[in-house]
Amino acid sequence: NEEPSSSIISPAAASRGHIISADSVQAYTGVSIGANKPTPEEMERTPHHLVDVVDPRSSDDPTVRGTSSYNAADWMGDAAYVVRELTSFNGDDGGG
């Protein structure tokens, strides 16, 4: 039985697409059991975003988000940022 994220990797790779993870467990670094994270080979073949972006431990480092500070609103902001970055061509936002 093929895992859901595996089933989109081949079409995404064929079209030079990117995958933006919407899996709340995949966002956390160091959490692999039950996360169905892409393998390093899959991530090399097709770029993945929002995987391993949150440290589940609290941190005094302001560049590392801890569990208490990452929520659905943060994910939406991160996803919107990724989409903007992927859809802007050489800094052109597509505006007239």
Side-chain angles (χ1 to χ4, degrees):
N1 198 10
E2 194 171 12
E3 296 294 338
S5 54
S6 297
S7 65
I8 63 170
I9 291 173
S10 291
S15 65
R16 298 183 319 162
H18 289 235
I19 295 172
I20 300 173
S21 174
D23 185 318
S24 62
V25 178
Q26 289 184 359
Y28 292 98
T29 60
V31 178
S32 297
I33 297 173
N36 190 31
K37 289 186 180 180
T39 65
E41 294 80 19
E42 290 169 333
M43 291 183 74
E44 183 176 313
R45 190 168 155 211
T46 305
H48 286 65
H49 303 273
L50 304 184
V51 174
D52 290 335
V53 296
V54 181
D55 189 335
R57 301 164 293 172
S58 293
S59 175
D60 292 331
D61 182 348
T63 64
V64 176
R65 291 184 181 177
T67 53
S68 62
S69 65
Y70 198 75
N71 57 41
D74 293 323
W75 179 88
M76 290 219 18
D78 290 346
Y81 174 80
V82 170
V83 169
R84 279 192 307 274
E85 289 295 305
L86 293 175
T87 57
S88 67
F89 302 104
N90 299 320
D92 179 6
D93 65 359

